[in-house]
Amino acid sequence: MGGNGQAEHDGAADRDIAVLLAEAADGVRIGAVPYRELVRGGRRRRARRWTLAAAAALVVAGSAGTLASAGGTDGEGRRVVPAATEPVTPDSRQVATPRSTAVARGTDHGEDWTVEALVWGAPRNVSEARAQLKTMRRYALVPAGIHAPSDLVGKGWYYGRLMRDGGLVSTFMNAPVEKGGTPPDGQVADAATLLDPEAAGGSRRLVVGRVAPTALEVTCTWDDGTKVKAAPAAPGTGLVGDFEDLVRPVDGSRANWFTCVAPKGDDHRSGAAKVTKVAKGS
């Protein structure tokens, strides 16, 4: 061994390893690259990935649909009810506040007067009825014959009020909505009232009532034989300055409302109305 014996030893070892590796390589047969097999394998893997992605999308969509129909929870575990399935609120049924419609207006002794219809939806429980009664009191209204909130549950209510120069004169209609929402065909729910309660010897010139939408004509008759006929207003016709005896729809009411006014100067102690023409087939 010479002075560089360690280096010579290391070189011989490297040569031996190279020879062994060459012999091993000779024993391996190397063919052409299986290009088509690799492509098909890649396509199969992509197909599997698309299938899994589509399945995941269906699961997500199904979960969303379940949440939309039954509600879910948010990130903090609170119940979430989608807007599409939220329960009907008291405001949407007009329980907490009334629907108000000006049914008629005119002029009497230089003062403007208006007939206003107020309609409340039916409360579904005592809590809603209690809130409704509280609101009615703010309108200076008390439903006739109702002694406790439970008496009002399930009952829609309506009022007819006479306003004169913007101020309340009287509330002359105060009753629950009939079963079905309207008086029977051919019948009316009506009331006669004074146009000017402060006038000495005032007559009941104004008759206001409710009828089924099938009524085509209402005839009002006073105690002295005076008759006035009211017919449905043309669709979309609003109130005009001069009074007209007409039958009109009212917001929140299935029944139509009508108004009749007797001629001035007559002393009418009472008035009543009846349906004198009904739509054919009703």
Side-chain angles (χ1 to χ4, degrees), residues 175-186:
V177 176
E178 302 89 345
K179 184 177 180 180
T182 67
D185 286 348

Side-chain angles (χ1 to χ4, degrees), residues 82-117:
T85 58
E86 289 181 352
V88 178
T89 63
D91 286 341
S92 66
R93 289 184 288 111
Q94 212 69 18
V95 172
T97 56
R99 296 185 187 274
S100 175
T101 303
V103 179
R105 68 168 174 239
T107 304
D108 180 65
H109 293 95
E111 292 183 347
D112 295 329
W113 60 266
T114 303
V115 172
E116 179 185 40

Side-chain angles (χ1 to χ4, degrees), residues 45-206:
R45 285 191 294 274
R46 285 196 298 272
R48 284 197 295 271
R49 286 197 294 270
W50 278 109
T51 301
L52 291 173
L58 289 174
V59 170
V60 172
S63 300
T66 302
L67 289 174
S69 61
T73 56
D74 60 13
E76 299 180 6
R78 292 188 294 263
R79 187 69 175 172
V80 177
V81 180
T85 58
E86 289 181 352
V88 178
T89 63
D91 286 341
S92 66
R93 289 184 288 111
Q94 212 69 18
V95 172
T97 56
R99 296 185 187 274
S100 175
T101 303
V103 179
R105 68 168 174 239
T107 304
D108 180 65
H109 293 95
E111 292 183 347
D112 295 329
W113 60 266
T114 303
V115 172
E116 179 185 40
L118 298 178
V119 182
W120 266 270
R124 291 183 176 175
N125 51 54
V126 172
S127 177
E128 288 186 2
R130 187 178 294 113
Q132 188 177 87
L133 287 171
K134 184 177 180 180
T135 304
M136 287 181 178
R137 285 195 292 271
R138 290 203 297 267
Y139 282 79
L141 300 170
V142 178
I146 299 299
H147 305 290
S150 58
D151 297 335
L152 197 57
V153 173
K155 297 178 181 178
W157 214 270
Y158 66 89
Y159 298 90
R161 306 202 303 179
L162 176 63
M163 316 292 289
R164 197 174 179 99
D165 274 1
L168 176 63
V169 174
S170 63
T171 299
F172 55 90
M173 297 176 74
N174 180 341
V177 176
E178 302 89 345
K179 184 177 180 180
T182 67
D185 286 348
Q187 297 185 25
V188 299
D190 67 325
T193 187
L194 302 174
L195 268 178
D196 186 4
E198 296 182 359
S203 63
R204 293 181 177 273
R205 294 178 52 215
L206 174 64

